[in-house]
Amino acid sequence: MTWARRTFNAYKKVVAKRYKNRNEDIVVQGLIIRGESLKRDFTKRQLKLLLLINMLSHVFGKESAVIPQLSDFQISGVSKTKVKEELEKLVTMNVIEINDTRYSIKDPAEWDVPYHKSYYDLRAREVFMLNLLDTGVSLEEIKREIASMEEKN
């Protein structure tokens, strides 16, 4: 089980309290996607497109975003002349799926996108945990959840 998947399961309970009327699995997946997209070597345009798709799907507790026209991607700041090319690259990199006017982001474990050269996993985890602690989340409870999941694998 990947660190992202263990994290997903560990934080599911925390997110459920804040998003009572949403599908917490999808909301947490959206959080994981945001975190993973920062670690990867995407272009600025690709990041904007991912952010838009994520905002219109996972934030609302949905698996996909409905975006009727390619020109609608301009609300993310990507020119309509570049959108199709960038979306095709994201499909090729196994990051998104397109089904007519529905756009969904695949599980980051499937992405064919390398981490950017400055990414340092151990420090990223430390900073993440520091910020969880700063919000009052019990790190001990999360560590127990992650350890429990690791024992099962």
Side-chain angles (χ1 to χ4, degrees):
M1 183 182 291
T2 65
W3 184 82
R5 182 56 51 195
R6 288 190 308 272
T7 304
F8 171 84
N9 290 327
Y11 296 110
K12 183 176 172 181
K13 293 176 186 174
V14 174
V15 171
K17 293 175 187 174
R18 304 213 192 270
Y19 294 92
K20 290 184 181 186
N21 296 326
R22 301 182 196 179
N23 182 329
E24 63 225 33
D25 287 356
I26 294 173
V27 172
V28 173
Q29 187 67 19
L31 295 172
I32 299 295
I33 287 168
R34 279 188 258 169
E36 285 294 315
S37 64
L38 290 173
K39 302 173 188 178
R40 307 300 178 109
D41 198 14
F42 288 112
T43 66
K44 185 177 175 182
R45 286 184 190 128
Q46 291 165 348
L47 281 173
K48 286 182 169 193
L49 296 175
L50 281 174
L51 180 60
L52 179 65
I53 294 168
N54 190 54
M55 181 189 78
L56 297 174
S57 58
H58 296 94
V59 172
F60 295 118
K62 306 184 315 167
E63 292 183 22
S64 62
V66 176
I67 304 173
Q69 300 173 15
L70 287 179
S71 61
D72 294 331
F73 279 97
Q74 289 182 109
I75 63 176
S76 71
V78 178
S79 165
K80 66 181 176 183
T81 62
K82 301 288 185 182
V83 168
K84 186 173 183 179
E85 176 185 347
E86 294 299 333
L87 288 172
E88 287 172 355
K89 287 178 186 176
L90 289 170
V91 168
T92 301
M93 294 185 299
N94 214 26
V95 175
I96 65 169
E97 289 180 328
I98 304 171
N99 186 359
D100 195 24
T101 61
R102 290 196 169 272
Y103 297 80
S104 56
I105 301 173
K106 293 184 169 190
D107 185 328
E110 298 177 32
W111 294 357
D112 295 326
V113 183
Y115 292 106
H116 59 75
K117 63 183 178 183
S118 301
Y119 179 68
Y120 180 51
D121 191 54
L122 181 60
R123 185 62 184 153
R125 289 182 194 191
E126 290 170 351
V127 171
F128 184 74
M129 292 298 206
L130 175 67
N131 279 277
L132 277 176
L133 186 60
D134 188 52
T135 64
V137 171
S138 167
L139 295 184
E140 292 307 314
E141 181 181 348
I142 291 171
K143 287 177 184 177
R144 281 192 304 273
E145 285 285 332
I146 291 172
S148 169
M149 289 176 216
E150 287 176 343
E151 288 175 4
K152 293 176 184 176
N153 291 327

